[in-house]
PDB file of all heavy atoms in Angstrom:
ATOM      1  N   ARG A 197       6.864  31.709  -5.736  1.00 83.00           N
ATOM      2  CA  ARG A 197       6.649  32.130  -7.209  1.00 83.00           C
ATOM      3  C   ARG A 197       6.383  33.611  -7.241  1.00 83.00           C
ATOM      4  O   ARG A 197       6.819  34.325  -8.158  1.00 83.00           O
ATOM      5  CB  ARG A 197       5.542  31.309  -7.734  1.00 83.00           C
ATOM      6  CG  ARG A 197       5.312  31.629  -9.207  1.00 83.00           C
ATOM      7  CD  ARG A 197       4.342  30.653  -9.856  1.00 83.00           C
ATOM      8  NE  ARG A 197       3.034  30.627  -9.268  1.00 83.00           N
ATOM      9  CZ  ARG A 197       2.547  29.599  -8.639  1.00 83.00           C
ATOM     10  NH1 ARG A 197       3.286  28.471  -8.510  1.00 83.00           N
ATOM     11  NH2 ARG A 197       1.338  29.677  -8.075  1.00 83.00           N
ATOM     12  N   GLU A 198       5.588  34.139  -6.337  1.00 87.00           N
ATOM     13  CA  GLU A 198       5.284  35.540  -6.390  1.00 87.00           C
ATOM     14  C   GLU A 198       6.539  36.399  -6.187  1.00 87.00           C
ATOM     15  O   GLU A 198       6.742  37.431  -6.705  1.00 87.00           O
ATOM     16  CB  GLU A 198       4.256  35.898  -5.350  1.00 87.00           C
ATOM     17  CG  GLU A 198       2.873  35.351  -5.686  1.00 87.00           C
ATOM     18  CD  GLU A 198       1.782  35.858  -4.723  1.00 87.00           C
ATOM     19  OE1 GLU A 198       1.785  35.392  -3.555  1.00 87.00           O
ATOM     20  OE2 GLU A 198       1.004  36.629  -5.123  1.00 87.00           O
ATOM     21  N   LEU A 199       7.433  35.835  -5.364  1.00 86.00           N
ATOM     22  CA  LEU A 199       8.622  36.600  -5.072  1.00 86.00           C
ATOM     23  C   LEU A 199       9.601  36.574  -6.289  1.00 86.00           C
ATOM     24  O   LEU A 199      10.128  37.596  -6.726  1.00 86.00           O
ATOM     25  CB  LEU A 199       9.435  35.977  -3.913  1.00 86.00           C
ATOM     26  CG  LEU A 199       8.812  36.240  -2.567  1.00 86.00           C
ATOM     27  CD1 LEU A 199       9.420  35.302  -1.499  1.00 86.00           C
ATOM     28  CD2 LEU A 199       9.261  37.699  -2.165  1.00 86.00           C
ATOM     29  N   THR A 200       9.732  35.439  -6.970  1.00 78.00           N
ATOM     30  CA  THR A 200      10.516  35.303  -8.158  1.00 78.00           C
ATOM     31  C   THR A 200       9.992  35.964  -9.369  1.00 78.00           C
ATOM     32  O   THR A 200      10.595  36.411 -10.321  1.00 78.00           O
ATOM     33  CB  THR A 200      10.911  33.888  -8.457  1.00 78.00           C
ATOM     34  OG1 THR A 200       9.732  33.143  -8.581  1.00 78.00           O
ATOM     35  CG2 THR A 200      11.759  33.293  -7.324  1.00 78.00           C
ATOM     36  N   ASP A 201       8.614  36.049  -9.394  1.00 75.00           N
ATOM     37  CA  ASP A 201       7.900  36.724 -10.474  1.00 75.00           C
ATOM     38  C   ASP A 201       7.998  38.265 -10.373  1.00 75.00           C
ATOM     39  O   ASP A 201       7.700  38.948 -11.311  1.00 75.00           O
ATOM     40  CB  ASP A 201       6.415  36.243 -10.461  1.00 75.00           C
ATOM     41  CG  ASP A 201       6.317  34.942 -11.214  1.00 75.00           C
ATOM     42  OD1 ASP A 201       7.352  34.324 -11.514  1.00 75.00           O
ATOM     43  OD2 ASP A 201       5.170  34.486 -11.363  1.00 75.00           O
ATOM     44  N   GLY A 202       8.384  38.712  -9.213  1.00 78.00           N
ATOM     45  CA  GLY A 202       8.470  40.224  -9.055  1.00 78.00           C
ATOM     46  C   GLY A 202       7.168  40.753  -8.543  1.00 78.00           C
ATOM     47  O   GLY A 202       7.102  42.032  -8.534  1.00 78.00           O
ATOM     48  N   VAL A 203       6.217  39.941  -8.152  1.00 86.00           N
ATOM     49  CA  VAL A 203       4.996  40.539  -7.551  1.00 86.00           C
ATOM     50  C   VAL A 203       5.530  41.253  -6.242  1.00 86.00           C
ATOM     51  O   VAL A 203       4.996  42.393  -5.982  1.00 86.00           O
ATOM     52  CB  VAL A 203       4.003  39.437  -7.168  1.00 86.00           C
ATOM     53  CG1 VAL A 203       2.824  40.046  -6.457  1.00 86.00           C
ATOM     54  CG2 VAL A 203       3.611  38.694  -8.374  1.00 86.00           C
ATOM     55  N   PHE A 204       6.356  40.737  -5.503  1.00 87.00           N
ATOM     56  CA  PHE A 204       6.922  41.404  -4.387  1.00 87.00           C
ATOM     57  C   PHE A 204       8.427  41.683  -4.741  1.00 87.00           C
ATOM     58  O   PHE A 204       9.218  40.839  -5.033  1.00 87.00           O
ATOM     59  CB  PHE A 204       6.942  40.538  -3.134  1.00 87.00           C
ATOM     60  CG  PHE A 204       5.560  40.131  -2.689  1.00 87.00           C
ATOM     61  CD1 PHE A 204       5.171  38.769  -2.720  1.00 87.00           C
ATOM     62  CD2 PHE A 204       4.607  41.020  -2.343  1.00 87.00           C
ATOM     63  CE1 PHE A 204       3.922  38.411  -2.346  1.00 87.00           C
ATOM     64  CE2 PHE A 204       3.385  40.686  -2.011  1.00 87.00           C
ATOM     65  CZ  PHE A 204       3.038  39.345  -2.010  1.00 87.00           C
ATOM     66  N   LYS A 205       8.816  42.963  -4.786  1.00 83.00           N
ATOM     67  CA  LYS A 205      10.122  43.334  -5.183  1.00 83.00           C
ATOM     68  C   LYS A 205      10.920  43.470  -3.838  1.00 83.00           C
ATOM     69  O   LYS A 205      10.389  43.661  -2.749  1.00 83.00           O
ATOM     70  CB  LYS A 205      10.115  44.654  -5.906  1.00 83.00           C
ATOM     71  CG  LYS A 205       9.355  44.550  -7.237  1.00 83.00           C
ATOM     72  CD  LYS A 205       9.410  45.787  -8.118  1.00 83.00           C
ATOM     73  CE  LYS A 205       8.624  45.742  -9.283  1.00 83.00           C
ATOM     74  NZ  LYS A 205       7.149  45.503  -9.022  1.00 83.00           N
ATOM     75  N   PRO A 206      12.250  43.428  -3.966  1.00 83.00           N
ATOM     76  CA  PRO A 206      13.077  43.503  -2.831  1.00 83.00           C
ATOM     77  C   PRO A 206      12.791  44.750  -1.981  1.00 83.00           C
ATOM     78  O   PRO A 206      12.693  45.849  -2.477  1.00 83.00           O
ATOM     79  CB  PRO A 206      14.467  43.631  -3.403  1.00 83.00           C
ATOM     80  CG  PRO A 206      14.440  42.875  -4.726  1.00 83.00           C
ATOM     81  CD  PRO A 206      12.977  43.100  -5.243  1.00 83.00           C
ATOM     82  N   GLY A 207      12.601  44.526  -0.726  1.00 84.00           N
ATOM     83  CA  GLY A 207      12.168  45.629   0.203  1.00 84.00           C
ATOM     84  C   GLY A 207      10.704  45.720   0.427  1.00 84.00           C
ATOM     85  O   GLY A 207      10.275  46.273   1.373  1.00 84.00           O
ATOM     86  N   ASP A 208       9.946  45.117  -0.474  1.00 84.00           N
ATOM     87  CA  ASP A 208       8.440  45.174  -0.286  1.00 84.00           C
ATOM     88  C   ASP A 208       8.074  44.351   0.984  1.00 84.00           C
ATOM     89  O   ASP A 208       8.771  43.398   1.360  1.00 84.00           O
ATOM     90  CB  ASP A 208       7.784  44.527  -1.542  1.00 84.00           C
ATOM     91  CG  ASP A 208       7.758  45.479  -2.643  1.00 84.00           C
ATOM     92  OD1 ASP A 208       8.264  46.574  -2.565  1.00 84.00           O
ATOM     93  OD2 ASP A 208       7.217  45.108  -3.691  1.00 84.00           O
ATOM     94  N   ARG A 209       6.999  44.764   1.599  1.00 89.00           N
ATOM     95  CA  ARG A 209       6.517  44.080   2.650  1.00 89.00           C
ATOM     96  C   ARG A 209       5.426  43.088   2.192  1.00 89.00           C
ATOM     97  O   ARG A 209       4.485  43.461   1.468  1.00 89.00           O
ATOM     98  CB  ARG A 209       5.794  45.028   3.730  1.00 89.00           C
ATOM     99  CG  ARG A 209       6.185  44.677   5.159  1.00 89.00           C
ATOM    100  CD  ARG A 209       5.122  45.206   6.113  1.00 89.00           C
ATOM    101  NE  ARG A 209       3.869  44.552   5.999  1.00 89.00           N
ATOM    102  CZ  ARG A 209       2.822  44.910   6.709  1.00 89.00           C
ATOM    103  NH1 ARG A 209       2.880  45.909   7.561  1.00 89.00           N
ATOM    104  NH2 ARG A 209       1.651  44.369   6.588  1.00 89.00           N
ATOM    105  N   LEU A 210       5.565  41.853   2.636  1.00 91.00           N
ATOM    106  CA  LEU A 210       4.575  40.831   2.288  1.00 91.00           C
ATOM    107  C   LEU A 210       3.287  41.071   3.178  1.00 91.00           C
ATOM    108  O   LEU A 210       3.355  41.798   4.171  1.00 91.00           O
ATOM    109  CB  LEU A 210       5.081  39.433   2.421  1.00 91.00           C
ATOM    110  CG  LEU A 210       5.857  38.889   1.308  1.00 91.00           C
ATOM    111  CD1 LEU A 210       7.175  39.702   1.037  1.00 91.00           C
ATOM    112  CD2 LEU A 210       6.205  37.419   1.504  1.00 91.00           C
ATOM    113  N   PRO A 211       2.172  40.417   2.769  1.00 92.00           N
ATOM    114  CA  PRO A 211       0.953  40.518   3.675  1.00 92.00           C
ATOM    115  C   PRO A 211       1.409  39.924   5.023  1.00 92.00           C
ATOM    116  O   PRO A 211       2.183  39.081   5.154  1.00 92.00           O
ATOM    117  CB  PRO A 211       0.023  39.589   2.958  1.00 92.00           C
ATOM    118  CG  PRO A 211       0.406  39.572   1.555  1.00 92.00           C
ATOM    119  CD  PRO A 211       1.910  39.696   1.553  1.00 92.00           C
ATOM    120  N   SER A 212       0.795  40.443   6.085  1.00 90.00           N
ATOM    121  CA  SER A 212       1.082  40.025   7.406  1.00 90.00           C
ATOM    122  C   SER A 212       0.528  38.568   7.610  1.00 90.00           C
ATOM    123  O   SER A 212      -0.222  38.034   6.855  1.00 90.00           O
ATOM    124  CB  SER A 212       0.457  40.892   8.455  1.00 90.00           C
ATOM    125  OG  SER A 212      -0.975  40.764   8.428  1.00 90.00           O
ATOM    126  N   GLU A 213       1.012  37.940   8.648  1.00 92.00           N
ATOM    127  CA  GLU A 213       0.580  36.533   8.891  1.00 92.00           C
ATOM    128  C   GLU A 213      -0.892  36.439   9.041  1.00 92.00           C
ATOM    129  O   GLU A 213      -1.531  35.556   8.482  1.00 92.00           O
ATOM    130  CB  GLU A 213       1.255  36.076  10.196  1.00 92.00           C
ATOM    131  CG  GLU A 213       2.761  35.894  10.024  1.00 92.00           C
ATOM    132  CD  GLU A 213       3.377  35.381  11.357  1.00 92.00           C
ATOM    133  OE1 GLU A 213       2.665  35.331  12.348  1.00 92.00           O
ATOM    134  OE2 GLU A 213       4.533  35.056  11.372  1.00 92.00           O
ATOM    135  N   SER A 214      -1.483  37.395   9.727  1.00 90.00           N
ATOM    136  CA  SER A 214      -2.957  37.328   9.833  1.00 90.00           C
ATOM    137  C   SER A 214      -3.624  37.502   8.577  1.00 90.00           C
ATOM    138  O   SER A 214      -4.708  36.926   8.258  1.00 90.00           O
ATOM    139  CB  SER A 214      -3.526  38.379  10.917  1.00 90.00           C
ATOM    140  OG  SER A 214      -3.266  39.659  10.453  1.00 90.00           O
ATOM    141  N   ALA A 215      -3.067  38.407   7.658  1.00 91.00           N
ATOM    142  CA  ALA A 215      -3.655  38.546   6.381  1.00 91.00           C
ATOM    143  C   ALA A 215      -3.557  37.266   5.562  1.00 91.00           C
ATOM    144  O   ALA A 215      -4.557  36.887   4.823  1.00 91.00           O
ATOM    145  CB  ALA A 215      -2.996  39.650   5.623  1.00 91.00           C
ATOM    146  N   LEU A 216      -2.431  36.601   5.691  1.00 93.00           N
ATOM    147  CA  LEU A 216      -2.315  35.317   4.968  1.00 93.00           C
ATOM    148  C   LEU A 216      -3.223  34.249   5.462  1.00 93.00           C
ATOM    149  O   LEU A 216      -3.717  33.411   4.740  1.00 93.00           O
ATOM    150  CB  LEU A 216      -0.806  34.891   5.048  1.00 93.00           C
ATOM    151  CG  LEU A 216       0.150  35.707   4.248  1.00 93.00           C
ATOM    152  CD1 LEU A 216       1.664  35.276   4.491  1.00 93.00           C
ATOM    153  CD2 LEU A 216      -0.097  35.683   2.730  1.00 93.00           C
ATOM    154  N   THR A 217      -3.366  34.227   6.801  1.00 94.00           N
ATOM    155  CA  THR A 217      -4.349  33.240   7.360  1.00 94.00           C
ATOM    156  C   THR A 217      -5.760  33.449   6.771  1.00 94.00           C
ATOM    157  O   THR A 217      -6.388  32.540   6.437  1.00 94.00           O
ATOM    158  CB  THR A 217      -4.449  33.360   8.929  1.00 94.00           C
ATOM    159  OG1 THR A 217      -4.956  34.666   9.196  1.00 94.00           O
ATOM    160  CG2 THR A 217      -3.109  33.083   9.495  1.00 94.00           C
ATOM    161  N   ARG A 218      -6.122  34.704   6.649  1.00 91.00           N
ATOM    162  CA  ARG A 218      -7.423  34.974   6.007  1.00 91.00           C
ATOM    163  C   ARG A 218      -7.370  34.628   4.555  1.00 91.00           C
ATOM    164  O   ARG A 218      -8.374  34.004   4.005  1.00 91.00           O
ATOM    165  CB  ARG A 218      -7.837  36.436   6.208  1.00 91.00           C
ATOM    166  CG  ARG A 218      -8.190  36.769   7.566  1.00 91.00           C
ATOM    167  CD  ARG A 218      -8.879  38.172   7.597  1.00 91.00           C
ATOM    168  NE  ARG A 218      -7.911  39.231   7.173  1.00 91.00           N
ATOM    169  CZ  ARG A 218      -7.073  39.821   7.952  1.00 91.00           C
ATOM    170  NH1 ARG A 218      -7.029  39.468   9.244  1.00 91.00           N
ATOM    171  NH2 ARG A 218      -6.300  40.764   7.515  1.00 91.00           N
ATOM    172  N   GLU A 219      -6.365  35.059   3.820  1.00 90.00           N
ATOM    173  CA  GLU A 219      -6.322  34.805   2.370  1.00 90.00           C
ATOM    174  C   GLU A 219      -6.391  33.351   1.997  1.00 90.00           C
ATOM    175  O   GLU A 219      -7.122  32.983   1.060  1.00 90.00           O
ATOM    176  CB  GLU A 219      -5.014  35.452   1.842  1.00 90.00           C
ATOM    177  CG  GLU A 219      -4.918  35.303   0.289  1.00 90.00           C
ATOM    178  CD  GLU A 219      -3.601  35.990  -0.167  1.00 90.00           C
ATOM    179  OE1 GLU A 219      -3.044  36.777   0.547  1.00 90.00           O
ATOM    180  OE2 GLU A 219      -3.164  35.684  -1.300  1.00 90.00           O
ATOM    181  N   TYR A 220      -5.589  32.500   2.775  1.00 91.00           N
ATOM    182  CA  TYR A 220      -5.595  31.128   2.417  1.00 91.00           C
ATOM    183  C   TYR A 220      -6.559  30.328   3.237  1.00 91.00           C
ATOM    184  O   TYR A 220      -6.619  29.067   3.066  1.00 91.00           O
ATOM    185  CB  TYR A 220      -4.172  30.612   2.602  1.00 91.00           C
ATOM    186  CG  TYR A 220      -3.213  31.079   1.502  1.00 91.00           C
ATOM    187  CD1 TYR A 220      -2.400  32.189   1.665  1.00 91.00           C
ATOM    188  CD2 TYR A 220      -3.182  30.379   0.275  1.00 91.00           C
ATOM    189  CE1 TYR A 220      -1.553  32.604   0.631  1.00 91.00           C
ATOM    190  CE2 TYR A 220      -2.290  30.756  -0.687  1.00 91.00           C
ATOM    191  CZ  TYR A 220      -1.519  31.844  -0.476  1.00 91.00           C
ATOM    192  OH  TYR A 220      -0.630  32.276  -1.519  1.00 91.00           O
ATOM    193  N   SER A 221      -7.218  30.921   4.197  1.00 91.00           N
ATOM    194  CA  SER A 221      -8.140  30.240   5.140  1.00 91.00           C
ATOM    195  C   SER A 221      -7.367  29.035   5.849  1.00 91.00           C
ATOM    196  O   SER A 221      -7.902  27.930   5.806  1.00 91.00           O
ATOM    197  CB  SER A 221      -9.335  29.645   4.341  1.00 91.00           C
ATOM    198  OG  SER A 221     -10.044  30.731   3.764  1.00 91.00           O
ATOM    199  N   VAL A 222      -6.289  29.377   6.419  1.00 92.00           N
ATOM    200  CA  VAL A 222      -5.536  28.354   7.154  1.00 92.00           C
ATOM    201  C   VAL A 222      -5.170  29.014   8.517  1.00 92.00           C
ATOM    202  O   VAL A 222      -5.422  30.257   8.753  1.00 92.00           O
ATOM    203  CB  VAL A 222      -4.320  27.868   6.408  1.00 92.00           C
ATOM    204  CG1 VAL A 222      -4.646  27.179   5.176  1.00 92.00           C
ATOM    205  CG2 VAL A 222      -3.373  29.019   6.191  1.00 92.00           C
ATOM    206  N   SER A 223      -4.605  28.219   9.351  1.00 92.00           N
ATOM    207  CA  SER A 223      -4.289  28.712  10.645  1.00 92.00           C
ATOM    208  C   SER A 223      -2.883  29.421  10.604  1.00 92.00           C
ATOM    209  O   SER A 223      -2.183  29.313   9.657  1.00 92.00           O
ATOM    210  CB  SER A 223      -4.151  27.534  11.674  1.00 92.00           C
ATOM    211  OG  SER A 223      -3.028  26.765  11.419  1.00 92.00           O
ATOM    212  N   ARG A 224      -2.590  30.089  11.663  1.00 92.00           N
ATOM    213  CA  ARG A 224      -1.371  30.884  11.675  1.00 92.00           C
ATOM    214  C   ARG A 224      -0.120  29.901  11.731  1.00 92.00           C
ATOM    215  O   ARG A 224       0.955  30.217  11.181  1.00 92.00           O
ATOM    216  CB  ARG A 224      -1.350  31.785  12.896  1.00 92.00           C
ATOM    217  CG  ARG A 224      -0.386  32.952  12.647  1.00 92.00           C
ATOM    218  CD  ARG A 224      -0.458  33.898  13.880  1.00 92.00           C
ATOM    219  NE  ARG A 224       0.877  34.603  14.010  1.00 92.00           N
ATOM    220  CZ  ARG A 224       1.412  34.924  15.115  1.00 92.00           C
ATOM    221  NH1 ARG A 224       0.740  34.656  16.204  1.00 92.00           N
ATOM    222  NH2 ARG A 224       2.584  35.430  15.185  1.00 92.00           N
ATOM    223  N   THR A 225      -0.355  28.727  12.333  1.00 93.00           N
ATOM    224  CA  THR A 225       0.704  27.725  12.302  1.00 93.00           C
ATOM    225  C   THR A 225       1.199  27.391  10.897  1.00 93.00           C
ATOM    226  O   THR A 225       2.323  27.402  10.640  1.00 93.00           O
ATOM    227  CB  THR A 225       0.153  26.430  12.985  1.00 93.00           C
ATOM    228  OG1 THR A 225      -0.320  26.708  14.296  1.00 93.00           O
ATOM    229  CG2 THR A 225       1.208  25.369  13.003  1.00 93.00           C
ATOM    230  N   VAL A 226       0.221  27.156  10.018  1.00 94.00           N
ATOM    231  CA  VAL A 226       0.529  26.824   8.658  1.00 94.00           C
ATOM    232  C   VAL A 226       1.341  27.989   7.995  1.00 94.00           C
ATOM    233  O   VAL A 226       2.320  27.829   7.250  1.00 94.00           O
ATOM    234  CB  VAL A 226      -0.594  26.509   7.882  1.00 94.00           C
ATOM    235  CG1 VAL A 226      -0.394  26.283   6.381  1.00 94.00           C
ATOM    236  CG2 VAL A 226      -1.306  25.237   8.404  1.00 94.00           C
ATOM    237  N   VAL A 227       0.776  29.163   8.189  1.00 94.00           N
ATOM    238  CA  VAL A 227       1.460  30.375   7.565  1.00 94.00           C
ATOM    239  C   VAL A 227       2.858  30.491   8.069  1.00 94.00           C
ATOM    240  O   VAL A 227       3.776  30.773   7.297  1.00 94.00           O
ATOM    241  CB  VAL A 227       0.636  31.650   7.911  1.00 94.00           C
ATOM    242  CG1 VAL A 227       1.414  32.883   7.420  1.00 94.00           C
ATOM    243  CG2 VAL A 227      -0.668  31.510   7.107  1.00 94.00           C
ATOM    244  N   ARG A 228       3.033  30.281   9.320  1.00 93.00           N
ATOM    245  CA  ARG A 228       4.336  30.486  10.000  1.00 93.00           C
ATOM    246  C   ARG A 228       5.340  29.408   9.437  1.00 93.00           C
ATOM    247  O   ARG A 228       6.523  29.687   9.155  1.00 93.00           O
ATOM    248  CB  ARG A 228       4.296  30.427  11.442  1.00 93.00           C
ATOM    249  CG  ARG A 228       3.818  31.673  12.104  1.00 93.00           C
ATOM    250  CD  ARG A 228       4.143  31.789  13.567  1.00 93.00           C
ATOM    251  NE  ARG A 228       5.543  31.712  13.774  1.00 93.00           N
ATOM    252  CZ  ARG A 228       6.378  32.736  13.722  1.00 93.00           C
ATOM    253  NH1 ARG A 228       5.948  33.883  13.386  1.00 93.00           N
ATOM    254  NH2 ARG A 228       7.670  32.557  13.927  1.00 93.00           N
ATOM    255  N   GLU A 229       4.834  28.195   9.180  1.00 91.00           N
ATOM    256  CA  GLU A 229       5.763  27.196   8.649  1.00 91.00           C
ATOM    257  C   GLU A 229       6.171  27.597   7.204  1.00 91.00           C
ATOM    258  O   GLU A 229       7.316  27.418   6.802  1.00 91.00           O
ATOM    259  CB  GLU A 229       5.004  25.808   8.668  1.00 91.00           C
ATOM    260  CG  GLU A 229       4.897  25.203  10.018  1.00 91.00           C
ATOM    261  CD  GLU A 229       4.235  23.848   9.992  1.00 91.00           C
ATOM    262  OE1 GLU A 229       4.182  23.252   8.888  1.00 91.00           O
ATOM    263  OE2 GLU A 229       3.712  23.462  10.970  1.00 91.00           O
ATOM    264  N   ALA A 230       5.221  28.068   6.476  1.00 93.00           N
ATOM    265  CA  ALA A 230       5.560  28.540   5.100  1.00 93.00           C
ATOM    266  C   ALA A 230       6.594  29.669   5.104  1.00 93.00           C
ATOM    267  O   ALA A 230       7.531  29.663   4.373  1.00 93.00           O
ATOM    268  CB  ALA A 230       4.272  29.003   4.390  1.00 93.00           C
TER     269      ALA A 230
END
Side-chain angles (χ1 to χ4, degrees):
Chain A
R197 183 169 58 245
E198 291 187 286
L199 285 165
T200 57
D201 278 4
V203 177
F204 301 117
K205 297 183 183 63
D208 284 359
R209 220 202 72 183
L210 273 65
S212 70
E213 290 180 355
S214 65
L216 290 173
T217 61
R218 284 192 300 274
E219 181 179 342
Y220 287 96
S221 298
V222 297
S223 72
R224 204 177 150 213
T225 302
V226 172
V227 170
R228 282 197 59 82
E229 287 179 23

